PDB file of all heavy atoms in Angstrom:
ATOM      1  N   ALA N  39       4.067  -5.116 -13.360  1.00  0.00           N
ATOM      2  CA  ALA N  39       4.000  -6.108 -12.274  1.00  0.00           C
ATOM      3  C   ALA N  39       3.316  -7.400 -12.716  1.00  0.00           C
ATOM      4  O   ALA N  39       2.669  -7.454 -13.756  1.00  0.00           O
ATOM      5  CB  ALA N  39       3.251  -5.505 -11.093  1.00  0.00           C
ATOM      6  N   LEU N  40       3.499  -8.387 -11.861  1.00  0.00           N
ATOM      7  CA  LEU N  40       2.737  -9.627 -11.967  1.00  0.00           C
ATOM      8  C   LEU N  40       1.793  -9.644 -10.766  1.00  0.00           C
ATOM      9  O   LEU N  40       2.217  -9.417  -9.635  1.00  0.00           O
ATOM     10  CB  LEU N  40       3.670 -10.843 -11.906  1.00  0.00           C
ATOM     11  CG  LEU N  40       4.639 -10.975 -13.070  1.00  0.00           C
ATOM     12  CD1 LEU N  40       5.664 -12.054 -12.781  1.00  0.00           C
ATOM     13  CD2 LEU N  40       3.886 -11.308 -14.354  1.00  0.00           C
ATOM     14  N   ARG N  41       0.517  -9.872 -11.012  1.00  0.00           N
ATOM     15  CA  ARG N  41      -0.488  -9.884  -9.941  1.00  0.00           C
ATOM     16  C   ARG N  41      -1.041 -11.300  -9.802  1.00  0.00           C
ATOM     17  O   ARG N  41      -1.546 -11.860 -10.764  1.00  0.00           O
ATOM     18  CB  ARG N  41      -1.616  -8.910 -10.229  1.00  0.00           C
ATOM     19  CG  ARG N  41      -2.649  -8.842  -9.130  1.00  0.00           C
ATOM     20  CD  ARG N  41      -3.744  -7.856  -9.494  1.00  0.00           C
ATOM     21  NE  ARG N  41      -4.786  -7.821  -8.516  1.00  0.00           N
ATOM     22  CZ  ARG N  41      -4.867  -6.951  -7.499  1.00  0.00           C
ATOM     23  NH1 ARG N  41      -3.949  -6.040  -7.368  1.00  0.00           N
ATOM     24  NH2 ARG N  41      -5.864  -7.005  -6.649  1.00  0.00           N
ATOM     25  N   ILE N  42      -0.942 -11.825  -8.601  1.00  0.00           N
ATOM     26  CA  ILE N  42      -1.444 -13.144  -8.288  1.00  0.00           C
ATOM     27  C   ILE N  42      -2.689 -12.931  -7.443  1.00  0.00           C
ATOM     28  O   ILE N  42      -2.669 -12.173  -6.474  1.00  0.00           O
ATOM     29  CB  ILE N  42      -0.424 -13.977  -7.475  1.00  0.00           C
ATOM     30  CG1 ILE N  42       0.935 -14.021  -8.178  1.00  0.00           C
ATOM     31  CG2 ILE N  42      -0.933 -15.383  -7.226  1.00  0.00           C
ATOM     32  CD1 ILE N  42       1.889 -12.956  -7.768  1.00  0.00           C
ATOM     33  N   SER N  43      -3.792 -13.579  -7.827  1.00  0.00           N
ATOM     34  CA  SER N  43      -5.022 -13.431  -7.047  1.00  0.00           C
ATOM     35  C   SER N  43      -5.684 -14.790  -6.868  1.00  0.00           C
ATOM     36  O   SER N  43      -5.510 -15.689  -7.690  1.00  0.00           O
ATOM     37  CB  SER N  43      -5.990 -12.461  -7.732  1.00  0.00           C
ATOM     38  OG  SER N  43      -6.340 -12.926  -9.017  1.00  0.00           O
ATOM     39  N   ALA N  44      -6.407 -14.914  -5.764  1.00  0.00           N
ATOM     40  CA  ALA N  44      -7.078 -16.178  -5.464  1.00  0.00           C
ATOM     41  C   ALA N  44      -8.300 -15.936  -4.606  1.00  0.00           C
ATOM     42  O   ALA N  44      -8.265 -15.116  -3.679  1.00  0.00           O
ATOM     43  CB  ALA N  44      -6.122 -17.109  -4.710  1.00  0.00           C
ATOM     44  N   PRO N  45      -9.396 -16.644  -4.888  1.00  0.00           N
ATOM     45  CA  PRO N  45     -10.583 -16.537  -4.046  1.00  0.00           C
ATOM     46  C   PRO N  45     -10.300 -17.187  -2.688  1.00  0.00           C
ATOM     47  O   PRO N  45      -9.578 -18.174  -2.614  1.00  0.00           O
ATOM     48  CB  PRO N  45     -11.647 -17.306  -4.818  1.00  0.00           C
ATOM     49  CG  PRO N  45     -10.875 -18.279  -5.638  1.00  0.00           C
ATOM     50  CD  PRO N  45      -9.581 -17.617  -5.974  1.00  0.00           C
ATOM     51  N   VAL N  46     -10.872 -16.620  -1.650  1.00  0.00           N
ATOM     52  CA  VAL N  46     -10.694 -17.163  -0.303  1.00  0.00           C
ATOM     53  C   VAL N  46     -11.976 -17.889   0.084  1.00  0.00           C
ATOM     54  O   VAL N  46     -13.035 -17.272   0.178  1.00  0.00           O
ATOM     55  CB  VAL N  46     -10.392 -16.043   0.709  1.00  0.00           C
ATOM     56  CG1 VAL N  46     -10.238 -16.625   2.107  1.00  0.00           C
ATOM     57  CG2 VAL N  46      -9.149 -15.276   0.296  1.00  0.00           C
ATOM     58  N   PRO N  47     -11.878 -19.212   0.293  1.00  0.00           N
ATOM     59  CA  PRO N  47     -13.076 -19.961   0.678  1.00  0.00           C
ATOM     60  C   PRO N  47     -13.619 -19.469   2.025  1.00  0.00           C
ATOM     61  O   PRO N  47     -12.831 -19.184   2.941  1.00  0.00           O
ATOM     62  CB  PRO N  47     -12.590 -21.405   0.806  1.00  0.00           C
ATOM     63  CG  PRO N  47     -11.245 -21.457   0.174  1.00  0.00           C
ATOM     64  CD  PRO N  47     -10.695 -20.062   0.193  1.00  0.00           C
ATOM     65  N   PRO N  48     -14.918 -19.340   2.167  1.00  0.00           N
ATOM     66  CA  PRO N  48     -15.494 -18.861   3.420  1.00  0.00           C
ATOM     67  C   PRO N  48     -15.200 -19.817   4.582  1.00  0.00           C
ATOM     68  O   PRO N  48     -15.246 -19.412   5.739  1.00  0.00           O
ATOM     69  CB  PRO N  48     -16.991 -18.769   3.152  1.00  0.00           C
ATOM     70  CG  PRO N  48     -17.229 -19.449   1.867  1.00  0.00           C
ATOM     71  CD  PRO N  48     -15.924 -19.598   1.150  1.00  0.00           C
ATOM     72  N   THR N  49     -14.872 -21.047   4.271  1.00  0.00           N
ATOM     73  CA  THR N  49     -14.596 -22.042   5.327  1.00  0.00           C
ATOM     74  C   THR N  49     -13.124 -22.129   5.714  1.00  0.00           C
ATOM     75  O   THR N  49     -12.749 -22.988   6.495  1.00  0.00           O
ATOM     76  CB  THR N  49     -15.057 -23.439   4.846  1.00  0.00           C
ATOM     77  OG1 THR N  49     -14.370 -23.746   3.620  1.00  0.00           O
ATOM     78  CG2 THR N  49     -16.563 -23.478   4.626  1.00  0.00           C
ATOM     79  N   LEU N  50     -12.286 -21.237   5.186  1.00  0.00           N
ATOM     80  CA  LEU N  50     -10.857 -21.265   5.461  1.00  0.00           C
ATOM     81  C   LEU N  50     -10.604 -21.078   6.954  1.00  0.00           C
ATOM     82  O   LEU N  50     -11.127 -20.139   7.569  1.00  0.00           O
ATOM     83  CB  LEU N  50     -10.139 -20.169   4.673  1.00  0.00           C
ATOM     84  CG  LEU N  50      -8.627 -20.212   4.703  1.00  0.00           C
ATOM     85  CD1 LEU N  50      -8.121 -21.450   3.949  1.00  0.00           C
ATOM     86  CD2 LEU N  50      -8.051 -18.956   4.083  1.00  0.00           C
ATOM     87  N   SER N  51      -9.804 -21.947   7.524  1.00  0.00           N
ATOM     88  CA  SER N  51      -9.533 -21.882   8.964  1.00  0.00           C
ATOM     89  C   SER N  51      -8.641 -20.684   9.289  1.00  0.00           C
ATOM     90  O   SER N  51      -7.887 -20.208   8.442  1.00  0.00           O
ATOM     91  CB  SER N  51      -8.860 -23.167   9.458  1.00  0.00           C
ATOM     92  OG  SER N  51      -7.520 -23.221   9.011  1.00  0.00           O
TER      93      SER N  51
END
Side-chain angles (χ1 to χ4, degrees):
L40 295 170
R41 182 180 176 95
I42 307 92
S43 60
V46 179
T49 58
L50 189 67
S51 73

